[in-house]
Amino acid sequence: MEITRSRDFTAERAWGAKDIASMNGITTRLHWTDQPYRWHVNDGEEVFVVLDGQVEMRYRSEGSEHSRLLEVGDIFFASVGTEHVACPVGEARVLVIEKEGSV
């Protein structure tokens, strides 16, 4: 049993993570960042939950780029093939649930 206070979590580098759980090939990780990730496509679905801060989520769909500002409690679901990039506004902490070993 372990309790993690997400708002106190920091990492030595952007997108540093703490492994929370790995269950049946699905990982749950807490990330801290103050820098954008990079445009990417996951090889499985991804659930992205903002726990602290704000994140501008940019994604491409049907040849167009879109952007949504995610705030605490907001959830972004990326289906297989969704090209996206997360850009924090200042510091942010996010919970990411995805297939083990995914990009």
Side-chain angles (χ1 to χ4, degrees):
M1 207 273 320
E2 182 179 345
I3 295 173
T4 301
R5 188 168 306 273
S6 62
R7 70 175 173 255
D8 294 336
F9 175 70
T10 58
E12 294 181 11
R13 61 179 173 75
W15 294 100
K18 175 181 179 169
D19 293 329
I20 302 297
S22 181
M23 300 175 291
N24 298 316
I26 303 296
T27 62
T28 302
R29 302 179 84 200
L30 173 61
H31 291 269
W32 172 90
T33 190
D34 61 355
Q35 300 294 316
Y37 192 62
R38 60 180 167 79
W39 282 100
H40 67 286
V41 176
N42 295 79
D43 56 359
E45 292 94 353
E46 175 184 18
V47 175
F48 183 100
V49 183
V50 178
L51 299 177
D52 185 50
Q54 295 179 318
V55 177
E56 180 188 5
M57 184 62 77
R58 300 177 190 157
Y59 59 97
R60 294 182 177 138
S61 175
E62 300 177 9
S64 297
E65 187 173 316
H66 306 275
S67 176
R68 294 290 303 265
L69 183 62
L70 304 178
E71 303 197 25
V72 173
D74 288 345
I75 301 168
F76 176 80
F77 173 72
S79 56
V80 176
T82 302
E83 188 177 14
H84 60 287
V85 61
C87 303
V89 178
E91 289 187 15
R93 289 163 183 86
V94 297
L95 194 68
V96 177
I97 304 162
E98 62 190 348
K99 185 172 93 173
E100 193 168 359
S102 187
V103 173

